[in-house]
Every structure is written in structure tokens, then in C-alpha cells.
Amino acid sequence: MKLKQIFSLLLSALLVFSTFGTAVVFAEETALPKSVSIADGSIVVSAAETPGYLTVTYGADRTKTAPFLNSTPIVITGSSTANTISVGGGLTAAITLQNVSIAPAAPSAAPALSVADGSAVSLTLSGANSLTGGAGAAAISAGAATLTVQNTAAGGGSLAASAGVGGVSAISCGTLALAGGSLSANSGAVTGSVTVNANATLTAKGGLSNNLTVKSGTANVTGNVSGKLLVEAGTATVSGTAGSLETKGGTTTVGAVGKSAVVRGGTATINGGMDSLTVTGGKAVWNGGDAKASGITIVKGGELAVNAGTLGITKLQNGGKLTLKNAGLMPARFVLEGGSYSVAGVDYYKAVVDGLPANTTVSVNGSEYSTGGSGSITLYLPEGSQNLNITDAAGNSYPATINVTSDGNATATVEQTCKCSLTDFVLVDQAATIPDGQESIVFDLHKLYAEGAAVGSTNGCTLHSADSAVSVVYTVDGVQTAANEHSLTIGKDKTAVKVSAVATFNGIEKKSNEVTIRIVREVALTPPASVRYGKDIVISHNGGADFKNAVDYVAFGGVQVPADRVTISDTGITISGKQNTEAGERSVYVKLKDGSAYTLKDATVKVKVENNIGVVQQPASITGKRVGASFTSLGLPAKVKIVLDGESGNTIECAVKWDSSKYRSSSTSRQTITGTIQDLPSHVTLNPDTKEVKIYVTLKRSSSSGGSNERDYEYEFWSDVLERVKEADSGDTIYVKAGQYDNMPASILEELKGRKVTLIIEPEKGKDITIYGKNVKSVPASRISYSLTKLTKLYKDGGSSSSSSSSSSKPSSSTPTWSGSVLPSSSQPTAPVTPSSSSSSSSSEEESSSESSSEEEEESSEEELGPDVPTDTEPEEPEPEDKKMSPLVAVIGITVAAAALSGIIACIVLRRRQ
């Protein structure tokens, strides 16, 4: 009892000491005040030990706050010419400046606000705030940190930042985002990428040394923006040069652009030079003065207004508009592809004039144009009716009148007034292909002219058969066409067509040479969806009987197939399976002979060659071995047959590795020995249901009493057959060598009844007995067994003609599963199915029926001999109660340990604090 009281007092003391010690440790920490004055001392924001928490050190006595969440605002007030604000690295902090003024006096060279690398500071402005750096220092030095400046909910917050005496930058940071309020960099540059949003205002009087993005609000920069100026909305004004410019909206004014300018929307005014300009939307105004746009100026959409400057190569495309203040601003090279332009207030629109001689140069109102192969020119003319005076170098005149419209779609066709005479013209042989699935095609006889050949050519004027002034009559296979009829329908029954022509111009006729149009039929090749390894590959075609004479050779998998392995019929191309020796996707390429009357829609088709599916033929059971037989003496087959693709005549043999781990030489029960296939060819995939090889082994007992022992063997033999029938799947065939066991239990017929399973029994003498389960009627309950002689009579031809079968039922025709019992030794005496004290023969069906009803079944029990008999083991004694730990003692022990540990930790912390 005394021991328990002492233990309780000690436990209470430890708990009280632990609690008291912990309270002492945290009593020194101070909560973050509502505001901290910079006038009382420098303010340092640091990381607490707990991630996501901060501490602030402030005041003249350098008070350190307790840890607080980094989302808690640190409100700073007051003014100072000596103290500063600093934020450690890798932190996230929220700081509010409330009417703060910091300007470190000499000799201080510290920034008013410094943020170490990797930090992200949200700076909220309340009232008017001013930050000035010390000598040579920036007002805000944030290095590689991110600084977000925003306004309070009440609005009106501002911050004026100035570099110290001799300083270069007013604000130096990695990324600066304005999300509200007003920020002015009054002296010194702003370094870092700057984004203006949420209607904030940025004033940078010393320029920006990186990119500037304006999403809303206002940005006024005095000086240059060394990076890219991107304006999406709001207003941006840069007095100097922007490194590059892109606008998507808003209003932008820049002094000049260092490289390229892209105007996609809004209004952009550029007052100086630039490398290149692209306008796809909105409006660009260029007041370039003496500056030059040396690159290509492209107007794809929107408008470009040029008031001054020199344009280089300028391209005008559909949807664009170019406005020039005067004619002196015309580009050095003007590429007109669409759109419109205006000069001195007059708009010009696109107009096309065709019908001119091809590939020549013409003069239009004093300007020269090339007609190209189409015999047309593109002009830009004022809106309304315009009379054109078009002439060529030969003095031919092509007068035209065109009505120019503002949509740029005006066209006019001139009439040639040249004088021409016919010259000889030449036709060339051609081939006409009838596509697969079509019975005929329409062939344009004009295609028979040699490339560049003309019917007549004089004085720079060229006449073709399509000209209305020329009459051409074709003769097709001796039959003339109507004048200028050049469309000829050709059916696939034709193999060739003979054509000649006669042209007439101004009463003069010229006859062409005769040529041949060779008819080519397009043939489609259709591969099979898939084919098994080693099987013939048949590619269907629709080329008919003559197609085989057009084939030069066939290649399979990139290798030309020998001619004796390719057979071509009226409907297909067959590649011998001897060539099909690799699985996977293979290509078949058919090469036709040159000049053939056929062409292939696709000369190469893909064929998927799949692995053969193998089904293992399970080996027959082993029943003739004696108890105690070694595993190696069982005579397990070294190889098994594998049927490929369900074809009984297509088999291979593979070695088997048998597993001896579960074999029991002392057991008389049926044992299952499993094996794995060895060295399976790569082109064979085993059926998942037969991947494992199985063989059943039933050992015989060794006994001197012959008669009783043989009856046991016969019982075990038919029991094994019954198990095989039970395990058979639909469509299986079970083969049994019965030998001298000539009484089959009726239970086997009962198990077969109504199933699609075939049982084939090979008796010692006579023909095999085939019993198809579907042909088995009900078996009398009193029936114990059937003699094989009786079964032979009942199930001739599987029982299909017997009274015990259905005329529509047939035995399974699937490949037999060689899984029945092996033939017993001929020296063994014949025994009945079950032991009997009175029966000596069952050869007569009548005697068997009467005698079997009185026989008693003998139960077969497994008999374990030798080392396989498990030895008895003594049960473990239970642990005495006095050796078990009391639950109360365990709980008290754990409590004491925890209290002691807590007290020790508290003492250590208190010691370190002191």
C-alpha cells in the first residue's frame, strides 16, 4: 500500500512540474500588435520554426512576437530617418503601410524596404506613403522577390518611391505587380517585370529596365522600356523607345519601337522608327517623321494610317486598309493582295482584268503589269466606272471598261484584236485512269496537246483550241466529234482509244498527228483483318482474270516473295504460309509491270500476323504404379502435344518440366502432378485454360490378398474416370482404356447425362464404345453398374440409334482429350466395381443387374505410409497467470514515462531560455 502511495505522489509531482515548466517557456512571447511604429526602431520580419508562420522583431527593446500565420497583415505606421523594414528570404508576408515615411539619413546606405530573394510580399497602401533609399540605395530593394502593391478597400492609397542620393533604381525587384493604388517612382529606374492591373496607376520617371504589361489602369513612363510593352487594356504612354510592342486593346503611345510592332487591337500611335509593323486589328498611327520602317509592313486587318515616315516593302492583304496622308508616302514596294488603300482622301479598290495574252507584259495607263500564266492583271482603282487603255509590246490594243466596287470584287474581260495564223500543232499519248468503283470517266481531249504547244502563234498572239475563233474537230476511233466538243466518255470495257484532230482558223485547216489514249483500270487491294502465323495470306483484288498478267512481283515484309510461293487468281493474291514466318504487322507490296493496263489504288497494304493459339493435349492418367514408387519411376511423359488453332492435324511437341514437390509416394488417393511447357516457340500463344500441364497419378496398395486388392484397383480406376467426367468442359472428349475392368459404375452415366461430353471406352477386346452425354437417358436408381458388353449394345454409334438416345444428338467432334486412365497390367485379375462376398462374374447383363443391387460400396480412404505420415506434436502449455503483466501496471508505466519525458523537455527549454 505504501508503494502505491509513493508512486502516485511522484506521478503527480512530475505532471505539475511539466505543466509549470511549459507555461514558463511561452510566457515571454508577445502577440503581434495591431500596428508597429517605424519610429520606435527597425522592423524585421522573419520565419518562425513552424512552416507558414512568421515573427516580427520591432521597437527599441527589440521585442519579438509570438509566431503568427503569414497571411496576418503587419500594419506599419510612423516616420523615421534612421530605421528600415526588412523581410527575410523565402517568406510569404502581408505588410500594410499606413501613412509611413522612411528616408534613412547619411551615412546610412540601406533601402527603406528590403526583401530577400525568394520571398513574396503583398504591400497594401493606406494613405500617403513615402519611401526613400539611403545613400546610393533604392527605396525598395527586392532582388529576385515578388512584390504585389495593392490598395485598401477604402482606396486612395499611394506610394512615392525615390532612390537615395547617387542611387540608380527607385524600385529593384524580380516581379512587381500593381493590383491597385498609385505607385510613383520619382527618381531612378524601376527594374524587374511590371504588371499594371485593377485600374492601378504607375508613374516611372526613370524608365523601366524590363517588360511592362498593362491589363487595366494607367502607366506613364518617362524614358525607355527596355523589354516588351504589352497593352491589353487601359492606357500606356512611353516617351522613349519600347524594345518591342504588342497591343490587344486600350490606347498606346510610344516614341519609337526598337524591333517589331504588332497591333492586334486598340489604338497604337508610334512617333518614331521601327524595324517592322504588322496590323491585324485595331488602328495603328505612324508619325514617323524622317524615320524608316525598314522591314515588311503587313496590313492583314484593321487600319494603318501613315502621316510621316518612309515605308519599305509593304504588303496589303484582304481585310486591311492603308491610309496615306499624301502621295509622297507611297511604299518603295507595294504588294497588293487585297484590302484597300487611300491617298490624300481618295480610296482605291481591287479590280481584276482578264482575257489578256498569257505570260506577257502590258501597259495600263502608263504603268506596266505582268499577265502571268492566267492572262490577267490586278489593279487598284478609284470606285466607279473606269476606262482602261491596255497595250502590249507588239502594239496590240486591249481596250476595257471596268466598274470598280468598294468590295474589291470588280472584274472585266478584254477582247483580243491580234492577227494570228494557224501553225502545225502536236498531240501526245496520254493515259486515262478509271477510278476503283467507277464504270467510266469523262476525258478532256484538250489534255492531248503537248505542254506549251499552241495551235497558232503570230505577232505575240497565241491561239489554243479553246479559243472561240478556232474550230477544232476530233476524230475518236474513226468517228468525228462535233466542232469544239472536247469531252469524251470512256468506259472500262475499252483498253485504248485512237484520237486525231483538225483545227480551222480563218478558213485554213491544220491536221494533228494521231495519238493513243491508254485506258488504265484502278484496282483495290483488300487485306484480311488478321492471319495466323504460318498460314497462307490472301489479299483480295477486283482486277478480274487479266490482272494476274499485270503483276510483276509481290513483296512481303520488304522482301520479294519467290514466284513459286505466290498464286494469283481472278479475285485474290495468295502468299504461301512458308513465307509467313514472323508475327506482327507486316506490309504487302504489289509491283505492276510497266505499261500495264492496271494501276493500284494502294500498292502497299498492311497485314496483321497473329500468333498461333495452342491447346495442350493433357496426358493420360497413371494408375499402374505401386505405393512407394519414386517420382522418377512414374514414367511421366517428357513431351506433350499442342494442337494449334484448333486443327487436329496441326500439332507440335514441347518438353515438359514436372513439379515433384506435391507428390506423395505413400498416398493411394488420386494425385495431380503439374508441369510447365518448356521451349515454347515464340509464334505460339497458349490458351489460358491449358497453360498448365496436368497428369493424374493413383498408386496401388501392395498386398498379398489378390482378390480384395484387385477390387480396390478397379474401384479406384472407375473413380478416376468419374472425376474426369465431372471436371470435363462442354465439348470435351474423354478417352479411357478399360482393359479387363468390364463393369462401369452407373454413376458415370448419371454424370454424363444431358451434357455435351463424349466418353470413349476401349475394352480389352472388341471395338471402342462411344457414349455422348446428350444421348444418355435417365439411369434407374437401382442400377449399380453396366457391363461393357451391355454398353456396346446400348451405345452403338454413340447411342444415336438406340432407344436410350435422341435422334438429333451427336457425339462431340472435337479433338479427343487423351486424359483417361492407362491400360491396367494384363497380369492383374479382373475385379468388379465394388467388393462382394458372393459375386464371381458379371459378364452377363442380367446377372450383373441383379447381383449389383445387393453389393455394398466400399469406401476408399487415403492411407499414408512411411515418412509421409505426420508425427503427433504435444500441445503448448498455456502461460501461467502469475507471469502475465497486469493491465493496470502497464497503464501506470506508460503514464509515468510520458510525464517524465514532458518534464525533462520543459526543463531543457527553460534552461536554454535562461
Side-chain angles (χ1 to χ4, degrees):
M1 184 66 182
K2 290 182 179 181
L3 180 62
K4 289 185 178 179
Q5 291 177 346
I6 294 171
F7 180 76
S8 299
L9 290 174
L10 177 60
L11 175 62
S12 300
L14 286 173
L15 289 173
V16 171
F17 179 76
S18 174
T19 305
F20 176 76
T22 304
V24 170
V25 170
F26 292 106
E28 294 182 352
E29 296 180 339
T30 303
L32 176 69
K34 291 184 178 180
S35 64
V36 181
S37 176
I38 192 68
D40 297 336
S42 292
I43 299 170
V44 179
V45 181
S46 307
E49 292 182 0
T50 303
Y53 282 75
L54 304 174
T55 63
V56 174
T57 303
Y58 65 95
D61 57 355
R62 310 312 297 152
T63 300
K64 184 176 182 179
T65 68
F68 58 90
L69 279 173
N70 57 16
S71 59
T72 305
I74 304 169
V75 180
I76 301 175
T77 62
S79 301
S80 176
T81 58
N83 301 323
T84 61
I85 304 169
S86 61
V87 179
L91 305 181
T92 299
I95 297 175
T96 298
L97 299 181
Q98 186 174 317
N99 296 312
V100 170
S101 176
I102 301 176
S108 175
L113 170 62
S114 62
V115 181
D117 291 349
S119 290
V121 175
S122 174
L123 191 63
T124 302
L125 305 179
S126 177
N129 299 275
S130 174
L131 299 178
T132 302
I140 300 175
S141 177
T146 298
L147 184 63
T148 301
V149 178
Q150 60 190 17
N151 209 349
T152 61
S158 65
L159 172 62
S162 302
V165 177
V168 176
S169 300
I171 301 173
S172 174
C173 64
T175 302
L176 173 62
L178 272 67
S182 174
L183 175 62
S184 298
N186 293 328
S187 66
V190 177
T191 62
S193 295
V194 180
T195 300
V196 180
N197 203 355
N199 293 316
T201 300
L202 170 68
T203 302
K205 296 183 178 180
L208 270 74
S209 63
N210 211 310
N211 301 328
L212 172 60
T213 300
V214 180
K215 296 186 176 182
S216 68
T218 303
N220 294 308
V221 179
T222 301
N224 300 328
V225 175
S226 62
K228 179 179 180 179
L229 172 60
L230 171 61
V231 181
E232 298 180 359
T235 303
T237 302
V238 178
S239 65
T241 299
S244 62
L245 171 65
E246 180 180 359
T247 68
K248 298 180 180 179
T251 302
T252 305
T253 303
V254 295
V257 179
K259 295 181 179 179
S260 62
V262 179
V263 179
R264 306 185 190 278
T267 300
T269 301
I270 304 170
N271 294 320
M274 57 192 163
D275 277 357
S276 64
L277 171 64
T278 301
V279 182
T280 62
K283 182 178 181 179
V285 179
W286 189 35
N287 301 317
D290 295 331
K292 179 179 180 181
S294 57
I296 298 177
T297 301
I298 302 175
V299 182
K300 295 181 179 179
E303 179 182 356
L304 170 61
V306 181
N307 296 323
T310 302
L311 289 171
I313 301 173
T314 301
K315 183 183 292 185
L316 182 62
Q317 298 177 338
N318 288 337
K321 183 176 182 180
L322 176 64
T323 302
L324 304 176
K325 187 175 182 179
N326 55 65
L329 296 173
M330 285 294 291
R333 181 180 174 187
F334 202 3
V335 180
L336 299 170
E337 297 179 353
S340 64
Y341 71 92
S342 68
V343 180
V346 178
D347 293 331
Y348 292 81
Y349 303 97
K350 180 181 176 182
V352 176
V353 179
D354 56 20
L356 296 167
N359 300 312
T360 189
T361 301
V362 297
S363 176
V364 182
N365 298 340
S367 298
E368 291 188 346
Y369 298 86
S370 175
T371 61
S374 63
S376 64
I377 58 175
T378 299
L379 307 174
Y380 275 77
L381 302 170
E383 186 176 7
S385 180
Q386 304 291 331
N387 295 320
L388 304 178
N389 181 23
I390 305 174
T391 59
D392 62 14
N396 295 306
S397 178
Y398 310 93
T401 299
I402 188 168
N403 186 28
V404 180
T405 56
S406 60
D407 60 5
N409 293 325
T411 60
T413 302
V414 302
E415 292 187 3
Q416 298 186 23
T417 59
C418 63
K419 294 180 181 181
C420 298
S421 62
L422 285 177
T423 59
D424 292 335
F425 65 103
V426 179
L427 306 182
V428 294
D429 292 336
Q430 295 285 346
T433 300
I434 300 178
D436 174 44
Q438 290 186 203
E439 295 297 318
S440 62
I441 61 165
V442 176
F443 183 81
D444 184 2
L445 294 173
H446 286 344
K447 293 181 178 179
L448 295 174
Y449 290 103
E451 184 177 357
V455 175
S457 179
T458 302
N459 297 329
C461 175
T462 302
L463 291 179
H464 291 275
S465 59
D467 295 330
S468 59
V470 179
S471 174
V472 179
V473 177
Y474 293 95
T475 300
V476 180
D477 285 342
V479 179
Q480 288 187 345
T481 66
N484 293 329
E485 177 58 52
H486 56 89
S487 296
L488 176 63
T489 300
I490 305 175
K492 65 179 183 181
D493 56 321
K494 295 278 190 178
T495 58
V497 176
K498 298 290 186 180
V499 180
S500 62
V502 175
T504 304
F505 179 70
N506 289 338
I508 300 175
E509 290 186 351
K510 292 291 183 180
K511 186 176 181 179
S512 74
N513 58 313
E514 185 179 68
V515 295
T516 300
I517 303 175
R518 183 169 53 87
I519 312 305
V520 179
R521 286 186 55 192
E522 186 178 60
V523 175
L525 301 178
T526 305
S530 63
V531 65
R532 294 293 182 189
Y533 175 96
K535 299 295 183 181
D536 290 351
I537 301 171
V538 180
I539 310 294
S540 300
H541 69 78
N542 58 353
D546 293 333
F547 179 70
K548 60 183 177 182
N549 299 321
V551 177
D552 189 4
Y553 64 85
V554 177
F556 178 67
V559 178
Q560 185 172 335
V561 182
D564 59 348
R565 293 186 179 181
V566 177
T567 304
I568 304 176
S569 67
D570 296 353
T571 59
I573 302 173
T574 303
I575 302 174
S576 169
K578 295 180 180 179
Q579 196 74 19
N580 184 13
T581 58
E582 187 174 350
E585 187 177 73
R586 316 292 291 162
S587 63
V588 176
Y589 169 72
V590 178
K591 171 67 170 62
L592 299 183
K593 297 175 181 177
D594 295 338
S596 167
Y598 297 90
T599 185
L600 293 174
K601 190 174 184 178
D602 291 300
T604 302
V605 294
K606 298 292 185 180
V607 175
K608 185 179 181 182
V609 179
E610 297 181 339
N611 275 8
N612 301 115
I613 301 301
V615 176
V616 177
Q617 286 189 348
Q618 301 293 355
S621 301
I622 296 176
T623 59
K625 298 296 182 178
R626 301 285 182 178
V627 170
S630 66
F631 187 78
T632 56
S633 68
L634 293 177
L636 299 175
K639 294 183 178 181
V640 294
K641 283 187 177 181
I642 299 176
V643 178
L644 302 182
D645 303 326
E647 300 173 0
S648 58
N650 185 13
T651 62
I652 60 172
E653 284 192 343
C654 286
V656 182
K657 182 178 181 180
W658 296 101
D659 181 10
S660 62
S661 62
K662 295 182 180 179
Y663 172 65
R664 297 292 180 264
S665 62
S666 59
S667 173
T668 60
S669 296
R670 190 181 75 169
Q671 304 182 55
T672 302
I673 308 298
T674 60
T676 53
I677 300 295
Q678 305 294 305
D679 302 325
L680 184 70
S682 61
H683 64 83
V684 177
T685 299
L686 288 180
N687 185 311
D689 296 334
T690 63
K691 277 190 174 180
E692 190 176 54
V693 186
K694 296 180 181 178
I695 189 169
Y696 297 98
V697 177
T698 305
L699 302 179
K700 298 178 180 180
R701 297 187 183 91
S702 299
S703 174
S704 59
S705 55
S708 175
N709 215 26
E710 291 304 324
R711 285 194 295 272
D712 289 344
Y713 300 154
E714 183 169 9
Y715 174 77
E716 292 172 357
F717 172 80
W718 289 114
S719 295
D720 178 69
V721 175
L722 179 61
E723 286 299 316
R724 295 304 296 160
V725 173
K726 288 181 179 180
E727 295 175 358
D729 293 327
S730 179
D732 281 357
T733 298
I734 303 171
Y735 188 85
V736 175
K737 293 183 179 181
Q740 53 190 331
Y741 298 150
D742 59 354
N743 272 331
M744 186 185 79
S747 57
I748 294 177
L749 281 184
E750 184 67 34
E751 184 63 35
L752 273 173
K753 182 177 65 179
R755 297 175 59 192
K756 293 182 179 180
V757 176
T758 303
L759 175 64
I760 301 176
I761 305 173
E762 182 184 335
E764 188 173 27
K765 296 179 181 179
K767 296 182 179 180
D768 291 354
I769 305 169
T770 300
I771 306 174
Y772 182 47
K774 282 287 188 178
N775 295 334
V776 178
K777 284 190 173 183
S778 59
V779 181
S782 61
R783 193 80 179 194
I784 295 178
S785 65
Y786 287 90
S787 69
L788 299 189
T789 303
K790 182 65 174 178
L791 291 177
T792 301
K793 295 178 181 179
L794 290 174
Y795 294 100
K796 288 190 295 182
D797 299 327
S800 60
S801 61
S802 170
S803 61
S804 62
S805 65
S806 170
S807 61
S808 62
S809 300
K810 294 182 179 180
S812 171
S813 61
S814 64
T815 304
T817 303
W818 304 104
S819 54
S821 301
V822 300
L823 179 66
S825 172
S826 59
S827 63
Q828 298 171 3
T830 303
V833 176
T834 55
S836 174
S837 61
S838 59
S839 63
S840 61
S841 174
S842 57
S843 61
S844 169
E845 177 60 24
E846 292 77 6
E847 292 176 355
S848 175
S849 176
S850 61
E851 291 172 0
S852 297
S853 61
S854 63
E855 292 175 351
E856 295 179 358
E857 292 185 1
E858 181 182 27
E859 295 182 357
S860 174
S861 60
E862 177 172 342
E863 181 180 353
E864 297 293 330
L865 304 174
D868 292 326
V869 178
T871 58
D872 294 337
T873 57
E874 296 182 0
E876 296 181 3
E877 294 184 1
E879 185 179 357
E881 288 294 324
D882 58 353
K883 291 185 180 181
K884 294 183 180 178
M885 179 179 288
S886 170
L888 177 60
V889 174
V891 172
I892 293 175
I894 294 171
T895 305
V896 171
L901 180 61
S902 177
I904 292 171
I905 294 174
C907 290
I908 293 173
V909 174
L910 179 61
R911 187 75 173 179
R912 293 182 64 183
R913 285 280 182 164
Q914 293 173 349

